[in-house]
Amino acid sequence: MSSALHFKSINYTGQGSGPRLIVTGAVHGNETCGTKGIQRVMAELDSGALSIVAGSVTFVPITNPLAYAKGVRSGDRNLNRNLFPNDNPQDFEDRIANWLCPLLGQHDVLLDLHSFNADSQPFVMVGPRNNDGPLQPFKHEDKERALARRLGVRRFVDGWLQTYGAGVQRRLGSSDQVGMVLRYGVGTTEYMRSTGGYALTLECGQHADPAAPDVAYRAIMNTLAFLGFIDAPQPNPIADADMEALNMVVVHDKLDAGDRFIKTWSSFDKVQQGDQIGVRADGTPVTAEFDAYILFPDVNAAPNAEWYYLARVAASF
C-alpha cells in the first residue's frame, strides 16, 4: 500500500516580500483537525475569498499519508521522533523525512497542528529560551513566543527537549548511545529550529472534538494576519493574566514492568507535593516531589523508558 502513496504540498506566494511559512497537518494520521483547518483555509484562498498579499505559505494537509489512510497514529513508526533525512531509509516515515526535512528547511516558520487523546483544553508547545547550548541552540525566542500568544489558546508548555534530554543522560550515563537516543527526541519543530527557523506545535483538542478543526483554522488565520500574509487586522496577544504557562521539569521512568499508576492519569492533572502518583513493583510509593501538573503519562511504557513528566507553573513566559 505505501509504495503507491505520494507526498503533497501546496504553495501560495504573494506579490509582496515576507516570511516563508509552512503549516502541517496529520503528522499523526488519526489527528485530522489540522487537515480540516488547512483545507478550510485553502478553500477560501482558491475561491478568492482570501488572498496571500505578501510572503510565501506552504500547506501540507496530510503529512503522513500512510497513517492517515489507515486512520491510525503512525504508519511504520512515529514520524514525530528521530526526524532526519536518511540515505538508507528503513521505513515509510524515513521516506517522508527525506521529503519533509528539505521542505521544512526552505521555510522560516512552522505551525504544526495536532490533537490528543484525553478530554482537555488546547495548548501550544513552544521551544527553548535563546541559548548557544549543544542540545537545541536557538535565537528566535521572542518571535516564537509572540506568535504563540496569538494562536487563540491560553495554555503554553515549554521545556520538552531539555527535559527529555536530561532523562536520556540519566538513563544512559556516558554510553555512546546518548547522541543516538537524543536524536529520537527530534520531531518537526525541533528539526525546524535546527535549520535556523522557529516553530510551534499546536495541540488543538481531543481527536474527536468537533471544535478542534475550528481551533486549527483560527490559529492558521491568526498566524497569516500576524505575520502579514493577508490583509487583516492584527490579532491581539493573550493577556498575561489569562495565560497558563507551564515548564516541563522532570521525566520519571518506568523501572520495572510491574510499576503501575494508582489511577488513570491524564495530561494536566494537578498533583500536590507528596501526592501518590504510582507504585513501584516492590511496593514503594511514587509521589510528586513538588506541586505539579502531570504530562504525557504512559500506562504502556516499557521498563527503562519515560513513564510520565512533571511540569510546574513557569515564572515567566
Side-chain angles (χ1 to χ4, degrees), residues 37 40 61 88 148 268 277 287 303 307 312-313:
R40 182 176 167 187
N88 184 26
F268 302 104
I277 295 172
T287 60
W307 194 18
R312 58 162 45 112
V313 175

Side-chain angles (χ1 to χ4, degrees), residues 32 44 93 123 135 169 200 229 312:
T32 61
E44 293 184 17
E93 277 75 7
F123 65 97
L135 181 62
Q169 294 283 357
L200 294 168
F229 293 101
R312 58 162 45 112

Side-chain angles (χ1 to χ4, degrees), residues 80 110 112 125 136 187-194 199-201:
N80 219 23
L110 165 66
D112 191 18
M125 296 284 289
Q136 193 177 194
T188 53
T189 52
E190 292 79 20
Y191 187 85
M192 186 69 187
R193 295 185 192 107
S194 78
L200 294 168
T201 295

Side-chain angles (χ1 to χ4, degrees), residues 53-110:
V53 298
S56 178
V57 184
T58 300
F59 293 104
V60 184
I62 301 171
T63 309
N64 191 330
L66 177 60
Y68 184 83
K70 292 181 174 181
V72 296
R73 179 176 175 84
S74 303
D76 294 329
R77 65 169 178 86
N78 185 355
L79 177 61
N80 219 23
R81 297 288 184 271
N82 195 28
L83 183 69
F84 293 95
N86 190 326
D87 290 336
N88 184 26
Q90 299 298 304
D91 51 44
F92 185 72
E93 277 75 7
D94 281 351
R95 292 191 283 276
I96 298 174
N98 284 344
W99 164 75
L100 180 62
C101 290
L103 185 62
L104 291 173
Q106 296 166 18
H107 294 80
D108 306 309
V109 192
L110 165 66

Side-chain angles (χ1 to χ4, degrees), residues 176-187:
D176 57 7
Q177 291 183 300
V178 168
M180 180 182 70
V181 178
L182 281 175
R183 283 171 59 95
Y184 183 76
V186 173

Side-chain angles (χ1 to χ4, degrees), residues 184-245:
Y184 183 76
V186 173
T188 53
T189 52
E190 292 79 20
Y191 187 85
M192 186 69 187
R193 295 185 192 107
S194 78
T195 70
Y198 62 98
L200 294 168
T201 295
L202 176 61
E203 299 280 357
C204 299
Q206 200 277 335
H207 297 321
D209 185 349
D214 295 332
V215 173
Y217 171 81
R218 181 177 66 228
I220 298 169
M221 294 297 288
N222 285 2
T223 298
L224 295 177
F226 178 60
L227 296 180
F229 293 101
I230 61 176
D231 184 10
Q234 284 279 300
N236 293 321
I238 186 171
D240 288 349
D242 296 329
M243 292 179 64
E244 184 179 65

